[in-house]
Amino acid sequence: MKDVTGAAAPVIEATGLGLTFQTNDGPVHALKGVDLEIGRGEFVSFIGPSGCGKTTFLRCIAALEHPTEGVLRVNGMTAEAARQARSYGYVFQAAGLYPWRTIAGNIRLPLEIMGYARAEQDERVARVLSLVDLEGFGKKFPWQLSGGMQQRASIARALAFDADILLMDEPFGALDEIVRDRLNEELLKLWARTGKTIGFVTHSIPEAVYLSTKIVVMSPRPGRITDVIDSPLPRERPLEIRDSKEFLEIAHRVREGLRAGHAYD
Amino acid sequence: MRSVLPVLVVVLAILVVWYGAAVWLNSAWTYDQAARAGTHPTLVDVVNDTMAQERPVLPAPHQVARGLWDGVAGQKITSKRSLVWHGWVTLSATLLGFGIGTGLGIVLAVGIVHNRAMDLSVMPWAIASQTIPILAIAPMVIVVLASVGVTGILPKAVISAYLSFFPVLVGMVKGLRAPDGMQLDLLRTYNASRAQTLWKLRLPASLPYLFASLKVGIAASLVGAIVGELPAGATAGLGARLLSGSYYGQTIQIWAALFAAAALAAGLVVIVGAIERATLKRMGMA
Ligand SMILES: Nc1ncnc2c1ncn2[C@@H]1O[C@H](COP(=O)(O)OP(=O)(O)OP(=O)(O)O)[C@@H](O)[C@H]1O
Ligand SMILES: [Mg+2]
């Protein structure tokens, strides 16, 4: 899972993708003419101002939303087929744990639905709990955990089954800087360990640059891609890398892209 | 402890008002009797008499209490004069009706949430059904069922179910629709079936709503069972006790039966509440 970045057939491939919501106030062009290829094992961040269609694009990949134009292939299938094949785990902006289930029960939920045997469920729950540093919290209910811990539990839930794509919509948006840094580091380690392809929505330029192998800059009205930046940073990234020259250069380019997007208005 | 005082104050106030009302309402009969006998009772005599009439307009609290005590503890519980026996007759119909009504309410709610045709068609009928006075329906149910040979507990349970399915239906439709878009989307990402969505998300999410409905429903069930005992000249049950009391002017018996019914209702609601707390606690929601 280390050496095939971008080389093999793309995991996610969008061509001329568009989505128009029909609302009472007329059509809303949430996405327009989106072309993007994401290779296996990549970490792709989507960044852009509010309302530029980041969530919509992620939801299209997840087949929770249906594009009105263009073609979208996920794992070589249609997005709907990929959803039915349970190809991805989705982490929503809010942790969204079911309050009547314990943390372990929440992580077990996809496993129950996908019909894993009880023993395997237990084993997987224990494994992903330790992966997100929540050993010993399995029997707690969500309200007994902090927001950051809940968010980690929701990530564990998306990791519990064998999907090779992980889609995350501003998972750390509501957390403070320090917790966010820790979770970012953990996420990178996790990505290195699992080799998953990750699509990650964020509003934070440093977060996008720190995490990604590819940064997709988007702009609103209609939502479209204005820049795609392949990061030259190594995959091994200590937090200090954020002070390096390369890091600041990429961050600068992202900021320029965001600014250019606004200039179109 | 702090909550006991207000309760005691309220109870005391009710007792005072009640005694006052008993003296006032029953004194007419006392004066009437005195006038016939040609005597002139003092105020003390009047008050004493209004407390101890055989068939008072409004029995005094201690008379009702004695009637209750006599009905509960003073009889063998198999006796036809035992309130425990009558209470059990009513309770069994209540529980059966409650079970049927709850089941029906849940099944209809599941149907409404999953089927558009049912969504559009069932609710208006359910609402219409509740606008018909139960006193108008009860005799028909008893008569119709009796004509096809169904008597005993079942007709009463049917009336009971008729009253209790509605709150359960309304509560469960709301409860089953309580999950938000994200909770539903999550299951879509797992490609969960509709049955799995029902069992893993909709039903657990609806439990708080269900319990709120059950408390209303169990009380409604009891009313239904009692009403079901009124029309056919039934001889057993709290409803029959109320009816025969009113035939023979046995006001104390009526009031004792009323209080027995109220105690039964309160007990049932408390039991449902206890089950609710235990369940929600186990689910981490209380
Ligand atoms: N279900 C919907 N119906 C109508 N319009 C929608 C719907 N979902 C999103 N939109 C519109 O589509 C556009 C893109 O929304 P989207 O949620 O993808 O933005 P976003 O980039 O995720 O924004 P944010 O950073 O605030 O989360 C917005 O203008 C939004 O109002
Ligand atoms: Mg969004």
Side-chain angles (χ1 to χ4, degrees):
Chain A
M1 287 286 174
K2 307 174 206 75
D3 49 359
V4 285
T5 310
V11 174
I12 294 160
E13 189 177 19
T15 334
L17 200 73
L19 193 156
T20 307
F21 287 109
Q22 299 300 339
T23 71
N24 290 336
D25 312 327
V28 175
H29 300 282
L31 289 174
K32 202 169 179 70
V34 169
D35 297 302
L36 186 68
E37 271 193 15
I38 299 176
R40 188 158 304 282
E42 277 198 275
F43 195 129
V44 183
S45 284
F46 300 90
I47 189 165
S50 191
C52 69
K54 306 179 294 291
T55 297
T56 305
F57 186 52
L58 221 58
R59 288 175 61 85
C60 284
I61 298 172
L64 296 173
E65 220 72 76
H66 299 285
T68 45
E69 38 191 281
V71 186
L72 178 62
R73 310 285 291 172
V74 177
N75 268 349
M77 314 171 241
T78 64
E80 181 62 21
R83 180 182 70 81
Q84 283 167 16
R86 290 154 175 164
S87 311
Y88 62 83
Y90 198 108
V91 180
F92 292 85
Q93 180 159 5
L97 301 170
Y98 289 0
W100 55 85
R101 282 175 171 257
T102 59
I103 297 303
N106 268 286
I107 297 171
R108 195 186 300 280
L109 176 69
L111 304 176
E112 286 172 9
I113 286 171
M114 296 176 191
Y116 285 82
R118 186 73 201 201
E120 172 146 29
Q121 289 180 15
D122 292 340
E123 184 253 308
R124 279 173 182 259
V125 168
R127 181 158 53 82
V128 291
L129 271 177
S130 78
L131 213 56
V132 297
D133 242 344
L134 282 179
E135 297 109 323
F137 288 93
K139 290 203 170 66
K140 293 263 192 289
F141 280 102
W143 55 269
Q144 295 170 303
L145 267 61
S146 74
M149 290 159 95
Q150 291 185 29
Q151 199 52 267
R152 276 185 284 162
S154 85
I155 294 170
R157 181 177 60 184
L159 294 173
F161 53 100
D162 296 313
D164 49 5
I165 304 172
L166 186 58
L167 302 172
M168 309 174 89
D169 190 358
E170 291 189 55
F172 309 140
L175 305 179
D176 72 74
E177 201 81 13
I178 312 282
V179 176
R180 205 169 165 141
D181 280 353
R182 260 239 337 281
L183 292 183
N184 279 342
E185 262 188 303
E186 283 173 20
L187 183 59
L188 273 186
K189 282 190 207 138
L190 201 140
W191 171 61
R193 258 179 288 175
T194 58
K196 288 182 194 278
T197 310
I198 299 183
F200 185 94
V201 172
T202 177
H203 272 128
S204 153
I205 297 175
E207 188 171 70
V209 179
Y210 176 64
L211 293 172
S212 321
T213 57
K214 191 190 281 258
I215 301 157
V216 178
V217 184
M218 299 177 69
S219 81
R221 281 175 295 266
R224 64 198 182 284
I225 294 176
T226 49
D227 197 5
V228 178
I229 304 162
D230 283 302
S231 173
L233 297 179
R235 289 175 79 101
E236 188 78 18
R237 298 175 186 182
L239 273 174
E240 300 77 59
I241 204 169
R242 296 184 297 185
D243 299 322
S244 71
K245 195 163 138 292
E246 289 100 327
F247 188 97
L248 295 173
E249 271 171 13
I250 307 166
H252 180 75
R253 191 173 150 192
V254 173
R255 187 166 292 113
E256 289 299 304
L258 286 172
R259 218 173 264 155
H262 267 296
Y264 284 102
D265 283 0
Chain B
M1 271 294 110
R2 216 190 281 166
S3 61
V4 173
L5 192 66
V7 172
L8 278 179
V9 169
V10 171
V11 169
L12 206 67
I14 291 174
L15 284 178
V16 167
V17 172
W18 189 349
Y19 271 114
V23 171
W24 181 48
L25 290 169
N26 300 337
S27 61
W29 195 79
T30 310
Y31 282 124
D32 210 36
Q33 291 296 102
R36 265 180 226 185
T39 56
H40 295 278
T42 64
L43 190 62
V44 176
D45 291 338
V46 172
V47 170
N48 279 341
D49 187 67
T50 55
M51 295 291 103
Q53 291 172 8
E54 183 104 352
R55 290 171 190 186
V57 177
L58 178 66
H62 66 268
Q63 289 180 296
V64 174
R66 193 169 332 112
L68 256 180
W69 177 254
D70 192 44
V72 172
Q75 319 283 338
K76 281 214 301 205
I77 57 164
T78 50
S79 154
K80 292 236 166 182
R81 303 174 58 110
S82 166
L83 274 176
V84 177
W85 181 70
H86 287 290
W88 165 248
V89 169
T90 303
L91 179 64
S92 54
T94 300
L95 292 180
L96 182 60
F98 178 63
I100 298 171
T102 302
L104 186 67
I106 293 176
V107 167
L108 283 177
V110 169
I112 283 176
V113 169
H114 285 86
N115 181 303
R116 194 161 159 67
M118 278 187 77
D119 185 14
L120 295 175
S121 60
V122 173
M123 223 20 161
W125 285 104
I127 293 169
S129 78
Q130 300 300 302
T131 63
I132 305 168
I134 185 65
L135 279 170
I137 296 231
M140 291 196 298
V141 172
I142 305 272
V143 170
V144 168
L145 286 180
S147 75
V148 295
V150 180
T151 55
I153 190 178
L154 200 58
K156 291 195 276 174
V158 166
I159 297 167
S160 192
Y162 179 90
L163 284 189
S164 62
F165 91 94
F166 187 67
V168 175
L169 172 64
V170 172
M172 279 306 278
V173 167
K174 198 163 160 54
L176 292 172
R177 291 201 168 129
D180 60 33
M182 199 182 72
Q183 291 178 321
L184 287 163
D185 277 344
L186 181 71
L187 290 188
R188 266 182 75 73
T189 70
Y190 304 149
N191 195 30
S193 67
R194 272 155 78 99
Q196 285 172 325
T197 307
L198 178 65
W199 286 111
K200 307 267 182 215
L201 175 58
R202 290 190 190 277
L203 280 176
S206 72
L207 276 186
Y209 297 81
L210 175 65
F211 278 113
S213 300
L214 289 184
K215 284 190 211 161
V216 180
I218 190 103
S221 282
L222 184 64
V223 171
I226 290 176
V227 169
E229 286 162 352
L230 295 179
T235 53
L238 293 175
R241 206 66 191 143
L242 284 172
L243 199 66
S244 72
S246 78
Y247 278 160
Y248 304 113
Q250 299 281 4
T251 43
I252 297 178
Q253 178 185 329
I254 298 179
W255 281 81
L258 272 179
F259 270 88
L264 198 55
L268 289 172
V269 172
V270 165
I271 291 171
V272 172
I275 296 172
E276 171 182 31
R277 265 194 309 283
T279 309
L280 294 189
K281 192 166 172 165
R282 254 199 67 213
M283 295 172 73
M285 293 203 285

